[in-house]
Amino acid sequence: AQSVTQLDSQVPVFEEAPVELRCNYSSSVSVYLFWYVQYPNQGLQLLLKYLSGSTLVKGINGFEAEFNKSQTSFHLRKPSVHISDTAEYFCAVSVPLRNTDKLIFGTGTRLQVFP
Amino acid sequence: KAGVTQTPRYLIKTRGQQVTLSCSPISGHRSVSWYQQTPGQGLQFLFEYFSETQRNKGNFPGRFSGRQFSNSRSEMNVSTLELGDSALYLCASSEGQVGSQPQHFGDGTRLSIL
């Protein structure tokens, strides 16, 4: 079975500071990795995905993430955050070898950006 | 292209009633998945449909059911509602190529049980 751990439930940061949201996963088979963002009263929006290839993945809104197979991590980073980045961020995995699109999510990290 | 559309956005029911939620996927998408989001349990997978067939099912009681129509639209039904069913129900669609194409989410239906 697969699982996803987001170590930080909340991350407070000042505007224009860098931020890292941590994600670790557990799986005995290869997985695809995703980061989604959820703004209040909205659904989830895909930030970026890792399927294969380069371990550094660039996404929308200036976010990037790095896949580290040995540490089973997929941390999300942004060099300079804005107030508008305040939202809930979810890391998720899917298993490509199985006949399903099912996503397994972490518990989420609430990013709060202060002026 | 229009995104994933879920109706209604908000719903209030009482215990024991049943409810049907609707999801219209992005045009051309053949796979539809449903998730339940609660503060306590987070995002949990309910079920997934592809070409009108249930492809995968999460660990929810039989009161939760779904179906998909020939135009890829999907509905989920919850019977004999319980207080614990209060949640945001999210629908997601994808092209159907398993795992490689990301799922696109609707804004959800917020179900409140009184």
Side-chain angles (χ1 to χ4, degrees), chain A residues 8-39:
Chain A
D8 306 301
S9 60
Q10 295 187 60
V11 173
V13 63
F14 286 108
E15 194 173 19
E16 297 183 8
V19 71
E20 178 181 82
L21 306 184
R22 296 181 292 169
C23 172
N24 287 86
Y25 69 93
S26 173
S27 177
S28 57
V29 298
S30 294
V31 295
Y32 291 153
L33 294 148
F34 306 85
W35 274 99
Y36 283 87
V37 61
Q38 185 176 34
Y39 299 102

Side-chain angles (χ1 to χ4, degrees), chain A residues 32 34 36 38 40-46 48-49 51 88 90 94-107, chain B residues 9-10 31 33 35 37 43 45 48 55-58 88 90 94 96-108 110:
Chain A
Y32 291 153
F34 306 85
Y36 283 87
Q38 185 176 34
N41 298 317
Q42 292 186 24
L44 278 69
Q45 180 183 1
L46 180 70
L48 47 79
K49 62 181 180 181
L51 304 182
E88 189 93 20
F90 293 93
S94 69
V95 182
L97 296 180
R98 300 193 185 141
N99 189 31
T100 179
D101 278 334
K102 172 185 174 181
L103 288 169
I104 300 158
F105 286 93
T107 51
Chain B
R9 286 295 312 276
Y10 302 92
S31 172
S33 299
Y35 295 83
Q37 185 178 23
L43 282 153
F45 172 78
E48 173 190 8
R55 187 158 70 177
N56 199 358
K57 187 178 187 303
L88 181 65
L90 292 165
S94 71
Q97 294 172 305
V98 174
S100 63
Q101 296 300 319
Q103 294 186 49
H104 298 264
F105 284 79
D107 286 337
R110 184 164 296 282

Side-chain angles (χ1 to χ4, degrees), chain B residues 9-81:
Chain B
R9 286 295 312 276
Y10 302 92
L11 207 49
I12 300 174
K13 292 286 186 179
T14 58
R15 282 181 299 172
Q17 287 185 309
Q18 75 167 20
V19 67
T20 299
L21 312 182
S22 179
C23 172
S24 293
I26 291 172
S27 177
H29 285 192
R30 296 165 63 191
S31 172
V32 173
S33 299
W34 289 88
Y35 295 83
Q36 181 195 64
Q37 185 178 23
T38 60
Q41 300 297 318
L43 282 153
Q44 293 193 294
F45 172 78
L46 279 158
F47 26 66
E48 173 190 8
Y49 289 88
F50 179 77
S51 292
E52 302 180 66
T53 300
Q54 189 177 83
R55 187 158 70 177
N56 199 358
K57 187 178 187 303
N59 189 26
F60 277 81
R63 300 185 298 106
F64 291 81
S65 63
R67 59 178 175 169
Q68 186 181 33
F69 302 95
S70 58
N71 61 358
S72 294
R73 191 177 71 85
S74 177
E75 289 181 347
M76 68 163 280
N77 184 276
V78 187
S79 62
T80 319
L81 287 165

